[in-house]
Amino acid sequence: MNDTTTVGTTTVDTSPQAIRAWLTDRVAYYLERSPADLDEGAQLAEMGLDSVFALTLCGDVEDRFGLVVEPTMAWDHPTIDAITAYLAAELAG
C-alpha cells in the first residue's frame, strides 16, 4: 500500500497516522486549543467546531489531499477518528 499522494508538486503522507495528526492540528487551530487537549473520538460539534470551521476544514482537506469532499463531511463523519477513517479509505481507493 502506498501511503503518499502527490498534490500539485508536493508529496503528502496519507497514512492514517499522518491524516489523524494533520486533522488534529487543524481542528485544534480552529478551536484555539492545543492538539494534546483534543479527544479524537469526541464529536467535533461538542468540542465547539461550528459550521463555518467545518466548511473551512473541507477546503483544507481538498487542498491538502487533492480530494473533493462534500461540505457535510464533518457532520457525516463527526469525529477526528471518523474523518481519518473516511479519508484513509478515499485515498486508498
Side-chain angles (χ1 to χ4, degrees):
M1 174 201 276
N2 186 1
D3 282 341
T4 63
T5 192
T6 302
V7 180
T9 60
T10 305
T11 300
V12 178
D13 184 349
T14 57
S15 68
Q17 299 82 4
I19 295 169
R20 182 176 290 107
W22 179 82
L23 281 170
T24 301
D25 285 345
R26 295 308 305 150
V27 171
Y29 172 78
Y30 294 136
L31 298 177
E32 298 180 349
R33 294 167 60 184
S34 166
D37 293 338
L38 299 184
D39 175 356
E40 295 167 346
Q43 300 281 319
L44 295 171
E46 290 177 8
M47 287 194 282
L49 192 76
D50 65 21
S51 59
V52 172
F53 287 136
L55 188 57
T56 304
L57 181 63
C58 291
D60 291 346
V61 165
E62 290 178 353
D63 291 345
R64 174 76 175 182
F65 300 106
L67 288 175
V68 175
V69 296
E70 294 296 323
T72 58
M73 177 191 70
W75 309 125
D76 296 338
H77 310 280
T79 67
I80 291 170
D81 286 341
I83 295 173
T84 297
Y86 165 70
L87 293 176
E90 290 293 308
L91 290 163

